[in-house]
């Protein structure tokens, strides 16, 4: 939609004149009217048409579970007859939490007492583990539509792979309802795309045993048929035979054995036996038989333990669970013999869940983490001790020496970020060094996940990882990212004035588009906060830091609730919910929206309890009527003070004489919906994108009209932040991560 500056953004014209912290805009000739629209057009092209709607029905844990039940009733029913009862006997309904028709604002209190809550909660009757849903929660047409996980999409590709081993690899063409993920454009030289990255359709996966084992394979359930992911993990993706969703796993395995499988080794992280193609891509097709004969490199296959595999969730088949350490670090194999030896072990099922990892039950490892993994410790390992795979993995990677480090930007939990210059091209980039605190323990799972996701994802609102480069030792790994001048947290601290509503709209729209892309691709970010939102001087916002991101899927598994930095953490997480979904990211977006408007964090608790208290003081203490299921959450045993009123509007009034940030009714409605207690009723990303607030005046500012700011590149952002406003979250987060690693459930464990 075209709009003139004077018409659409009068408030900014005024404000920008006053602002000392803002610099000149780009020349208006350069400005395209409707830039945002065209940008959105790009985004839309990346999306799958149905995925947004589909997401609506699966955004909650209950819904996911439902879908799991619907699609895999027989398998799941074995493990949970109670759930089966719900779905087999009563048809698919929301399990656990029901969407109530009670229309209340978040935090709005009813007059009901605590005992009323208990009465309310009787709609969910738990009886010997059998959950019976009393309410009528018939599925909407949209819900009925969702039968697949979009993660598992390219059965056509699989079919193609059956046709001919010599067929030229084709790019993945996602099938409905898959997300538009992973088609890295040719701009990314190390990203190859294999048309036969075999993910089974969700339907068929539903019938698979979560973890399948065969010898000599490494399973890396990936978030997509991305070449990057598979190659990064140095594994081979296997085909999946499931087309109609009714084949049994045995058949699946059998078919896999006989099927030529494309071996995608497109990146420099890939194992050997590859043949180069254009732009450094290396794509190889390897038949299963051929594959078996090769003692090395390790053969891998991708297996979906559920229909939507977990990012970074690795299944090392044939390896003992003791192969991994307790902190999610993965050590690389010492030698070929290691592989041979380990590959000979059959039958052990290996499955990694983040939490399992942290508890020390993690089962993934590419080798034992015993005292002999010398190569991982040496700065310059002896060639003889470096496994071939590692050599292969690194052989294509450029050296970090090809970059000139300019300055440290920040140091986070998982890595140090530098500003650097590519000596060859002169491009300024951000180098994120993977932190290997315990180098002997191998490659951190969090980093592996982050690299996997970022290499796979390509979206204007997601920070672009261009390549991975290596330092002088094998454990010195850097992600080369596009450089962004600011992060929103540091930027807001340096700004004298708040963002205007139209600027917030511009930022929120970009943020929502990025989150939509993630959710459409079954990824939860789990750490959305202003310091993880980057902004460049072209007005582009990009989400970074995928260290806590993970794929979610069906059937829903319990995840750790120790995710999301405290201030942005959803109440269900604070109250110990282990089954959660996209709604946790939406809560964070509510906190971010409020922060963008007011230039201050909305709920800045120091501890989990304090955080809850701060939320309840503003939104009112929840109860069973506004949040069905609330009273059953593990953390609710704590006696909370009952705050009666929702004071959010006072913080964001429609008109203000006190300097409080002004927010229109529509804007407040969106904020309210993002900060809805009940995750079932919290607004989804698709709904948020369609919200009226973005369509009323002042309209969202075009990116090209966004103010520019002095680059923060010459400074260590965090160092500066610490001086200005010590961030209690850092310590908190470190503590929590340590707790998680040690297997503590934290407050509500
Ligand atoms: N591509 C980039 N360009 C410029 N700055 C960046 C880039 N990526 C990250 N940063 C800066 O580095 C900071 C830390 O990055 P990131 O969040 O990825 O690391 P982390 O170790 O996961 O941090 P945290 O402990 O906050 O989770 C960001 O807040 C941002 O200021």
């Amino acid at each position: 939609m075209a709009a003139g500056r004077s018409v659409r953004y009068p408030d900014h014209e005024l404000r920008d004149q006053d602002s000392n912290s803002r610099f000149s805009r780009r020349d208006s000739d350069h400005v395209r009217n409707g830039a945002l629209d065209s940008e959105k057009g790009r985004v839309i092209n990346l999306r799958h048409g149905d995925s947004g709607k589909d997401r609506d029905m699966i955004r909650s844990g209950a819904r996911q579970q439902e879908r799991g039940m619907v699609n895999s009733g027989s398998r799941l029913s074995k493990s949970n007859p109670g759930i089966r009862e719900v779905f087999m006997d009563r048809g698919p309904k929301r399990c656990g939490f029901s969407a109530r028709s009670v229309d209340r604002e978040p935090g709005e209190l009813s007059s009901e007492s605590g005992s009323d809550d208990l009465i309310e909660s009787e709609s969910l009757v738990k009886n010997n583990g059998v959950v019976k849903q009393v309410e009528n929660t018939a599925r909407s047409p949209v819900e009925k539509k969702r039968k697949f996980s979009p993660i598992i999409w390219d059965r056509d590709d699989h079919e193609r792979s059956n046709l001919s081993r010599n067929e030229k690899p084709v790019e993945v063409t996602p099938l409905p309802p898959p997300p538009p993920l992973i088609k890295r454009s040719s701009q990314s030289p190390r990203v190859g795309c294999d048309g036969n990255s075999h993910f089974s359709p969700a339907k068929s996966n539903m019938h698979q045993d979560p973890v399948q084992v065969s010898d000599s394979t490494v399973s890396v359930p990936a978030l997509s048929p991305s070449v990057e992911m598979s190659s990064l993990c140095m594994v081979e993706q296997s085909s999946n035979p499931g087309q109609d969703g009714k084949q049994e796993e045995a058949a699946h395995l059998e078919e896999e054995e006989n099927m030529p499988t494309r071996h995608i080794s497109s990146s420099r992280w890939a194992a050997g036996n590859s043949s180069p193609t254009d732009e450094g891509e290396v794509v190889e097709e390897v038949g299963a038989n051929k594959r078996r004969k090769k003692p090395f490199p390790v053969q891998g296959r991708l297996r979906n333990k559920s229909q939507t595999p977990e990012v970074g969730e690795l299944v090392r088949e044939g390896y003992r669970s003791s192969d991994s350490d307790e902190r999610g670090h993965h050590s690389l194999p010492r030698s070929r013999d290691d592989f041979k030896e380990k590959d000979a072990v059959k039958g052990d099922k290996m499955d990694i869940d983040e939490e399992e990892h942290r508890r020390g039950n993690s089962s993934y490892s590419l080798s034992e983490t015993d005292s002999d993994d010398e190569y991982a410790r040496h700065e310059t390992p002896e060639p003889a001790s470096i496994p071939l795979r590692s050599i292969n993995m690194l052989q294509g990677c450029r050296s970090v020496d090809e970059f000139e480090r300019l300055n440290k930007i920040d140091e986070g939990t998982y890595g140090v970020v530098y500003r650097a210059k590519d000596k060859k091209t002169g491009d300024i980039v951000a180098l994120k060094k993977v932190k290997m605190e315990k180098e002997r323990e191998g490659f951190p799972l969090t980093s592996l996940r982050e690299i996997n996701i970022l290499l796979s994802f390509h979206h204007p609102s997601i920070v672009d990882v261009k390549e991975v480069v290596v330092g002088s030792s094998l454990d010195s790994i850097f992600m080369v990212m596009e450089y962004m001048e600011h992060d929103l947290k540091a930027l807001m601290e340096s700004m004298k004035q708040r963002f205007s509503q139209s600027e917030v709209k511009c930022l929120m729209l970009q943020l929502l588009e990025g989150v939509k892309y993630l959710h459409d691709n079954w990824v939860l970010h789990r750490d959305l906060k202003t310091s993880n939102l980057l902004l460049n001087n072209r007005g582009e916002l990009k989400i970074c830091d995928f260290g806590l991101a993970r794929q979610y899927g069906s059937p829903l598994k319990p995840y750790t609730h120790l995710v999301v930095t405290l201030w942005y953490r959803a109440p269900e997480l604070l109250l110990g919910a282990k089954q959660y979904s996209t709604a946790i990211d939406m809560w964070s977006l509510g906190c971010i929206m409020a922060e963008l408007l007011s230039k201050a964090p909305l709920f800045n608790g120091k501890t989990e309890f304090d955080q809850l208290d701060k939320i309840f003081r503003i939104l009112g203490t929840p109860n069973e009527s506004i949040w069905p299921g609330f009273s059953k959450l593990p953390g609710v045993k704590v006696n909370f003070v009952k705050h009666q009123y929702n004071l959010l509007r006072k913080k964001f009034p429609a008109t203000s004489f006190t300097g409080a940030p002004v927010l229109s009714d529509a804007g407040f409605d969106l904020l309210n919906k993002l900060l809805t207690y009940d995750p079932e009723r919290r607004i989804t990303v698709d709904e948020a994108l369609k919200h009226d607030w973005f369509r009323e005046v002042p309209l969202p500012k075009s990116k090209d009209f966004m103010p520019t700011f002095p680059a923060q590149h010459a400074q260590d952002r965090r160092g500066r932040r610490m001086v200005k406003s010590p961030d209690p979250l850092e310590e908190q987060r470190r503590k929590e991560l340590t707790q998680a690693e040690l297997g503590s459930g934290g407050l509500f464990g």
Side-chain angles (χ1 to χ4, degrees), residues 409-418 429-433 435 450 463-464 479 481-488 490 527 529-534 544-548 565 712 717-718 721 730 733-734:
I409 298 172
D410 205 340
E411 177 161 4
T413 314
Y414 301 110
V416 190
V417 184
Y418 300 94
V429 296
L431 284 180
K432 181 166 176 178
K433 183 175 188 219
K435 205 178 241 177
E450 179 168 27
V463 72
D464 193 41
M479 278 188 278
M481 293 182 277
E482 60 180 316
Y483 174 72
M484 303 286 286
E485 283 90 350
H486 315 281
D487 72 61
L488 282 178
D527 200 12
K529 55 180 177 179
T530 46
S531 63
N532 286 339
L533 302 179
L534 307 174
C544 75
D545 191 359
F546 284 72
L548 284 179
T565 306
Q712 299 166 317
R717 288 175 198 166
R718 190 155 305 195
R721 273 207 287 267
E730 294 309 316
R733 196 171 177 201
R734 268 173 229 282

Side-chain angles (χ1 to χ4, degrees), residues 373-386:
D373 53 345
E374 286 297 316
Y375 87 95
R377 302 199 290 267
H378 286 302
E379 278 289 300
T380 45
E382 286 179 22
S385 68
I386 304 174

Side-chain angles (χ1 to χ4, degrees), residues 56-341:
D56 293 346
M57 71 157 283
I58 46 104
R59 57 184 285 263
S60 74
R63 291 179 189 179
Q64 289 176 41
Q65 205 141 27
E66 170 191 344
R67 187 163 42 83
M69 299 306 119
V70 172
N71 290 287
S72 60
S74 60
R75 176 168 61 80
L76 293 169
S77 63
K78 284 178 197 158
S79 60
N80 196 338
I83 292 174
R84 185 185 182 210
E85 184 171 331
V86 171
F87 291 98
M88 302 302 281
D89 298 344
R90 304 180 70 97
K93 290 177 184 176
R94 290 177 188 173
C95 183
F97 304 113
S98 60
R100 301 225 165 187
S101 55
V102 182
D103 231 4
R104 290 179 205 276
E105 288 189 342
E108 185 184 339
L109 292 177
S110 73
S111 57
E112 292 154 341
S113 64
S115 56
D116 291 338
D117 294 349
L118 289 176
I119 294 166
E120 287 271 359
S121 68
E122 285 175 8
S123 60
L124 298 173
V125 183
K126 270 196 177 176
N127 194 359
N128 294 329
V130 177
V131 179
K132 292 185 180 179
Q133 178 62 52
V134 178
E135 287 193 354
N136 177 19
T137 53
R139 299 198 327 160
S140 69
V142 169
E143 285 175 328
K144 284 175 188 159
K145 211 168 148 190
R146 164 64 80 198
K147 295 280 185 193
F148 307 87
S149 154
I151 272 311
I152 301 153
W153 54 54
D154 53 341
R155 68 183 179 212
D156 276 359
D157 292 333
H158 158 73
E159 287 162 6
R160 276 199 295 275
S161 79
N162 274 329
L163 292 176
S164 167
R165 286 171 52 182
N166 300 320
E167 191 179 351
K168 197 168 185 257
V170 290
E171 290 228 314
V172 175
T173 306
L175 295 175
L181 181 61
I182 318 311
K183 289 220 148 141
R184 296 285 293 214
S185 61
S186 55
Q187 72 194 42
S188 178
R190 65 213 72 274
V191 175
C193 209
D194 172 82
N196 297 306
S197 306
H198 304 291
F199 284 78
S200 60
K203 266 183 165 178
S204 76
N205 263 319
M206 285 294 198
H207 295 269
Q208 290 174 18
D209 216 3
V211 178
Q212 301 301 330
V213 178
S214 72
D215 59 312
S216 305
T217 59
V218 176
S219 292
V220 180
L223 57 94
S224 72
S226 76
V227 171
E228 302 90 322
M229 293 181 65
S230 60
S231 56
L232 174 69
C233 299
M234 298 165 289
V235 297
E236 179 178 34
Q237 292 184 331
S238 73
S239 54
N240 189 309
Q243 183 168 357
D244 60 8
K246 290 172 185 158
Q247 290 152 302
E248 291 298 324
E249 182 57 27
H252 164 89
L253 279 175
E254 197 179 326
E255 190 172 340
E256 277 189 343
E257 292 304 308
N258 299 322
M259 176 188 307
T261 305
R262 282 172 195 251
H263 180 179
I264 310 155
S265 46
S266 61
S267 90
R268 289 143 193 202
W269 293 72
N273 300 322
S274 309
S275 58
T277 62
D278 291 345
E279 293 190 8
E281 287 185 14
V282 185
V283 180
E284 183 188 20
E285 296 176 31
V286 181
N289 296 336
K290 202 169 164 187
R291 199 175 61 213
R292 295 228 171 268
K293 283 178 198 158
K294 290 190 289 184
F296 196 83
V298 170
Q299 302 306 316
R301 73 180 54 198
L302 189 149
R303 187 99 54 191
N304 299 307
K305 56 176 292 181
S306 66
Q307 80 213 45
T308 51
E310 310 297 345
V311 173
E313 185 176 59
L314 308 174
V315 181
R316 177 70 179 110
E317 293 161 290
Y319 280 8
R320 295 190 299 276
S321 60
S322 60
D323 283 357
S324 62
D325 67 12
E326 295 185 353
R327 292 175 180 79
H329 289 75
H330 315 299
S331 56
L332 295 167
R334 299 189 305 275
S335 65
R336 291 184 187 202
D337 288 342
D338 279 357
F339 284 113
K340 286 181 192 168
E341 195 181 313

